[in-house]
Amino acid sequence: MSDRIFGGIGLVLAIFFGIQATMIEVAFMSDAVGPSVFPIIVATIMGLASIYFLVKPDPAPDWPQAGRLAEIGFAVLVLFAYAQLLPVLGFVVATMFAAGYLAWRLGSKPVEAVLVGIGTSVGIYVVFRLILGLSLARGPLGF
């Protein structure tokens, strides 16, 4: 039953996300693909995964303990804070903190988590900004 609830909520969110993606305004000078293609792809994958949960739910799902649920909830709060701090701190700094924290909570040792945060942040910046030329949030340091 819980898988079907999860699938139903996911499907509603995917449809909403897909509709919102089609409403993205295209600037005069835009790339050939357009800004709405990637969100539509994400919405489609999310919708298909949600349909799977609706059609074939797990008969006996294994729910995490309360402490683990609280940790998942805190990870969601970290991602929400990441979205809020992205325009303030910039992509590199905000991503470094978020990726580092999530790596630590997924089992990395603290020093490894810091290195993962830095590596993830700089790696994504190099690929998306320097190689592909896409714009990312600039912080007070200019990157």
Side-chain angles (χ1 to χ4, degrees):
M1 181 64 171
S2 60
D3 281 359
R4 287 206 168 120
I5 294 170
F6 175 71
I9 292 171
L11 186 58
V12 169
L13 288 173
I15 291 169
F16 175 75
F17 192 64
I19 291 170
Q20 292 299 312
T22 63
M23 294 181 191
I24 296 174
E25 293 185 24
V26 179
F28 175 70
M29 295 192 62
S30 180
D31 58 1
V33 177
S36 62
V37 172
F38 182 72
I40 289 173
I41 291 170
V42 171
T44 302
I45 293 170
M46 184 177 174
L48 291 173
S50 297
I51 289 170
Y52 175 81
F53 282 112
L54 287 170
V55 173
K56 192 171 181 179
D58 186 357
D62 185 23
W63 283 85
Q65 300 297 325
R68 211 58 169 141
L69 281 175
E71 195 169 321
I72 292 169
F74 194 71
V76 169
L77 289 176
V78 166
L79 292 174
F80 179 76
Y82 170 70
Q84 299 303 311
L85 292 173
L86 198 57
V88 177
L89 297 177
F91 177 82
V92 174
V93 176
T95 303
M96 179 181 60
F97 285 120
Y101 171 78
L102 294 173
W104 173 60
R105 295 315 309 145
L106 287 171
S108 296
K109 295 176 181 161
V111 173
E112 292 172 344
V114 168
L115 294 174
V116 166
I118 293 170
T120 300
S121 176
V122 171
I124 293 173
Y125 181 81
V126 166
V127 170
F128 283 90
R129 178 71 181 140
L130 301 180
I131 295 173
L132 297 176
L134 300 174
S135 63
L136 299 172
R138 292 181 188 254
L141 302 174
F143 54 85

